[in-house]
Amino acid sequence: MNATDETVDVCNSLLRGEISAVETYVQAIKNLDDASNNDFLEQIRFDHESNAAALRAIVLEANGVPSTSSGPWGGFAKVVEGAATLIGETPALMVLRQGEEHGIDVYNDALANPNVSDTLKKLIHEELLPSLNDHLIDLKSLIDDANKT
């Protein structure tokens, strides 16, 4: 496998994670009781859509075929839906936070991969990781607020 192929494979894996994140936030917005959180969650969902678009562009630039579904990550949305329904809002928000933390780990793994293109690494470093770090801050705030009530 050459570096371009590896970049496309890694990029598509990251893309599937972003598609799953979008699906997960759609479920969270639909199922969480506190509508005041929806603005935060909608912004995070939008950020994941933007991240997915940027990853698609890199795949296309490398003459690859972008993933169109979340693949095995799609089940994560069901976990959030179930958590919100069965165990309440704070645990569901904690699951969302864990998803963001996992995303950060996956992006850091891609940064450490010597066969990933500098273009993808620059995108991860300058846009994708900062976005996920911001999400963690927002989710921590929502969790803290939910725990006060």
Side-chain angles (χ1 to χ4, degrees):
M1 178 180 296
N2 66 39
T4 301
D5 291 341
E6 179 117 8
T7 294
V8 168
D9 287 348
V10 168
C11 208
N12 269 325
S13 176
L14 299 172
L15 176 56
R16 286 188 295 275
E18 291 293 346
I19 293 168
S20 174
V22 171
E23 294 169 353
T24 300
Y25 280 93
V26 166
Q27 288 300 319
I29 291 163
K30 185 168 67 171
N31 288 297
L32 292 176
D33 292 333
D34 190 349
S36 66
N37 292 339
N38 284 355
D39 288 341
F40 282 109
L41 300 179
E42 280 287 352
Q43 182 58 52
I44 294 172
R45 181 196 55 76
F46 177 79
D47 289 347
H48 283 294
E49 286 179 349
S50 297
N51 292 352
L55 291 165
R56 275 188 204 94
I58 290 178
V59 172
L60 291 170
E61 183 178 295
N63 295 318
V65 177
S67 293
T68 58
S69 74
S70 57
W73 285 110
F76 198 71
K78 298 293 182 200
V79 170
V80 172
E81 180 179 10
T85 303
L86 296 175
I87 55 178
E89 186 152 335
T90 300
L93 292 171
M94 292 171 78
V95 170
L96 293 173
R97 186 181 71 192
Q98 288 174 336
E100 298 292 336
E101 290 169 345
H102 176 74
I104 289 170
D105 291 342
V106 171
Y107 281 130
N108 281 323
D109 289 345
L111 287 172
N113 184 332
N115 296 318
V116 168
S117 73
D118 289 340
T119 301
L120 178 55
K121 287 182 178 182
K122 182 178 179 183
L123 175 69
I124 291 169
H125 183 69
E126 293 180 1
E127 294 181 36
L128 304 179
L129 273 175
S131 172
L132 270 60
N133 285 319
D134 289 346
H135 299 165
L136 284 179
I137 293 167
D138 290 341
L139 288 167
K140 182 181 181 323
S141 175
L142 292 176
I143 290 166
D144 289 347
D145 289 348
N147 285 331
K148 289 178 187 174
T149 57

